Amino acid sequence: MRTQVGIVGAGPAGLLLSQLLALHGIDSVVVDDRSQEHIVARARAGVLEHGSAELLRRAGLGARMDREGIVHGGIYLQYDGVREHLDFRDLAGGRTVMVYAQTEVVKDLVAARLAAGANLVFEVRDTEVDELTSDHPVLRYTTPDGVRHDVVCDVIAGCDGFHGVSRPSIPDRALTIFDRTYPYAWLGILARVPPSTDELIYAYHRDGFALHSLRGPEVSRLYLQVAPDEQLSAWPDERIWTELRRRFALPGWELADGPIFDRSVTPMRSFVASPMRYGRLFLAGDAAHIVPPTGAKGLNLAVADVAVLAEALVALLRDGNPDLADAYSDNCLRRVWRATHFSWWMTSMLHRAPDGDEMREQLQLSQLRYTTSSRAAATTLAENYVGYPPLDLGGLDLPAD
């Protein structure tokens, strides 16, 4: 087989890259070791930056998002018995975020690519990327019927997540790894209950962080800070709702509860692999970096990577210009480190450390008061939350919204 771009991973990064390349007449093969049903069912991130939502619209993927997503013009920060609103429209030049679950983004992408006749191959095994320093790297995989495929490519995009095969295919000597594990995790639930808030609530509490998010008019997404080794069996429904009510407690406000139909514990870490390119292999999304979810940056970083990569590959494969491909890693890593710092800052400000003392608590409360009372501090949070630097879509030559 022969293709221009072999894409490993059919998550949002890989599928969006395939979509953007197709809009510029560049063919691709997308492979994944998971089933299509598994990919579109995973409960993941739910906040799209202003630029991410705009890119999806301009790539022909925004109709259902705009119909079913929820535009948020800010967030609430709760601490020490108060709940303060940060107005993103005012603080960040009119920009907003869109609450639209990653699950739904992936559904839209799969539908669009299949409708276009794209070559998507699910449930592959023994995936390999080889000959990465040549002009024609090879993507190898075995399909469910046992047939082994060797796909000769011009470029391979590693969009297969933290545990995928792409990054480990790069020699250790060619990568620098930055890694930090946090001493807490999130217990996340999806519940069939209308949200008790109109916008996300980030709550600092002496017993741990809590977050109230939304997934639609009838579904709520909520999180509790727990220990990294916490067992779900220790958290029956009644305990979860009791703890959520306690951490969100505020006079005159009540948290509605309902049936929980999904729950998980997510450890938190910061991880960056540099550079994000080796020969003709380009890493994107979680294959290259992980951030704690507090800053809502994981999915958005993947989208930003793909926007930069698509423009670079169009220039390389269609126009024969390697400049943007050569600059890909540096261009992406500037945003990655900004998002990594913002995610660390939000996490440090809002979570109760296991060894936290009274001084640390007072420092956190001081930071929260400053963030909600100083326009300069509030603007810093707002412009990072909606996306900084703003995603530049000018070079992709897509239709204006």
Side-chain angles (χ1 to χ4, degrees), residues 264-281:
S264 61
V265 173
T266 304
M268 301 174 71
R269 73 188 307 168
S270 295
F271 174 91
V272 180
S274 178
M276 292 170 57
R277 177 189 181 181
Y278 177 73
R280 286 284 179 127
L281 172 66

Side-chain angles (χ1 to χ4, degrees), residues 69-229:
I70 307 170
V71 176
H72 277 12
I75 61 170
Y76 295 99
L77 290 181
Q78 179 174 324
Y79 59 94
D80 203 21
V82 298
R83 183 179 295 168
E84 304 283 0
H85 185 253
L86 298 186
D87 186 340
F88 292 167
R89 289 186 177 92
D90 175 46
L91 296 165
R95 290 188 293 157
T96 59
V97 295
M98 175 74 76
V99 175
Y100 189 64
Q102 178 173 317
T103 305
E104 306 308 317
V105 174
V106 172
K107 288 178 183 176
D108 295 343
L109 282 162
V110 169
R113 298 311 299 130
L114 291 177
N119 194 346
L120 307 185
V121 189
F122 298 100
E123 298 182 81
V124 303
R125 63 179 188 272
D126 302 326
T127 305
E128 299 176 3
V129 292
D130 199 7
E131 301 182 40
L132 301 177
T133 57
S134 74
D135 289 338
H136 296 291
V138 179
L139 169 62
R140 299 189 175 97
Y141 59 91
T142 302
T143 48
D145 58 5
V147 177
R148 188 68 172 166
H149 296 265
D150 286 16
V151 184
V152 178
C153 312
D154 295 316
V155 163
I156 293 177
C159 305
D160 50 344
F162 183 79
H163 298 290
V165 302
S166 296
R167 190 184 66 254
S169 299
I170 301 174
D172 290 344
R173 58 177 169 74
L175 278 180
T176 300
I177 300 296
F178 305 87
D179 198 4
R180 169 174 292 180
T181 301
Y182 295 86
Y184 25 73
W186 280 7
L187 191 165
I189 65 165
L190 282 167
R192 289 191 179 89
V193 57
S196 301
T197 181
D198 58 335
E199 294 183 334
L200 278 71
I201 305 170
Y202 287 77
Y204 171 84
H205 191 278
R206 293 198 67 177
D207 293 327
F209 168 76
L211 172 63
H212 190 332
S213 185
L214 303 81
R215 284 297 183 272
E218 301 298 329
V219 176
S220 297
R221 180 71 156 157
L222 300 106
Y223 299 91
L224 286 167
Q225 176 188 341
V226 296
D229 58 354

Side-chain angles (χ1 to χ4, degrees), residues 326-390:
D326 292 341
Y328 168 72
S329 181
D330 288 342
N331 288 340
C332 286
L333 284 171
R334 280 192 288 272
R335 180 184 295 271
V336 167
W337 280 115
R338 174 86 299 275
T340 299
H341 179 272
F342 176 67
S343 300
W344 164 82
W345 177 76
M346 287 281 285
T347 301
S348 301
M349 178 172 66
L350 288 162
H351 288 72
R352 182 73 172 177
D355 58 350
D357 55 18
E358 292 300 318
M359 183 171 185
R360 179 184 173 108
E361 179 183 11
Q362 292 303 318
L363 290 172
Q364 289 175 283
L365 290 171
S366 175
Q367 181 65 62
L368 284 160
R369 292 188 196 101
Y370 177 59
T371 301
T372 55
S373 62
S374 162
R375 185 173 180 86
T379 299
T380 294
L381 188 154
E383 70 176 5
N384 278 275
Y385 201 98
V386 301
Y388 186 86

